[in-house]
Amino acid sequence: MIPDDRRHPLLIVGSLAFDSVETPTDKVERALGGSASFASIAASYYSQPQVVGIVGTDFTDHHMSRMLDHKVDTAGVERVAGETFHWRGRYHSNFKERDTLETALNVFESFDPVLPEAYRDAPVVFLGNIAPELQLKVLEQARGARLVALDTMNFWIETARDALIEVLKRVDILLINDEEAVQLSGADSVVEAAAHIRALGPKYLVIKRGEYGAILFGPDSTLYVPAMLLSNVVDPTGAGDTFAGGFIGHLSSSGSLDRATLGGALLTGTVMASFAVEAFSVDGICGLKAERVAGRRAELEAMIRY
Ligand code: AMP
């Protein structure tokens, strides 16, 4: 599945984290997580991710190897004295809603990203979920950026709204979930929220709706893809980041934003996210064989072709 000759550099900034997660049926402590981990591994099946981020001394070579095994470039990941970002969450009985119990930024608090020279010409940039100030600092150094996508979450909408609005002015594609879209815009419905958010800067908006699929609002068209129908959800954590990684990985490898390519990117994001939720941490998206990914994509396409 991982192409040998990947000519599509994709610059990704985001969190590299330890996640402690409790679901209605199971739990895990300090497993590898973070928006950049999920997004870069998902994107690695389609492009050459170059990750910018920071970890503490508790982040071992084993954790790093999950990305390196997928040929993710980690030259832009700093390891410094201190503790890695830690997130703790608990899902409600339906696996949909969750409470964040702890967000410890740790080494991210004093992170001042400096992009390796080799990263600066990447034509596609994914500003994964992390402090908007950091997303902006990365964008300012990405001189080759021609397509910029951004993901964020409630935490940053609440605590760093002004910086987020600032960076949104420079973004082509925003990916967020439906609750965040409503929270960011103050609108009541997803459709109203979309109009409001696109006026803030992003030409394209992808609203992720969990088990109800994803909608892309663009200047020329609105596209919708349902989620895969899954019987074995283990842990939804990282589904959004994985969706984003698959979506932007697909776009970076195709170099177009026409309707068919955007639709293909939605399908890719959906398929990758479906693997993520079937296991804890990044386990569901590591080492996927081409046939498995293609098989699931065919299943999804068959479901929406009448
Ligand atoms: P998702 O389930 O796609 O919303 O993403 C969950 C992932 O985001 C987890 O792996 C967390 O480590 C990471 N995360 C949670 N809160 C934040 C935050 N405030 N900033 C950056 N990453 C976060």
Side-chain angles (χ1 to χ4, degrees), residues 15 17 19 33-34 38 85 87 98 129 153 155-156 236-241:
S15 51
D19 289 347
F38 284 106
F85 181 110
W87 177 78
R98 74 179 178 205
N129 177 31
M153 71 186 283
F155 184 86
W156 301 114
T237 305
D241 307 309

Side-chain angles (χ1 to χ4, degrees), residues 174-187:
L174 171 66
L175 301 108
I176 47 175
N177 73 29
D178 42 11
E179 278 176 28
E180 291 153 1
V182 166
Q183 186 188 8
L184 176 61
S185 64

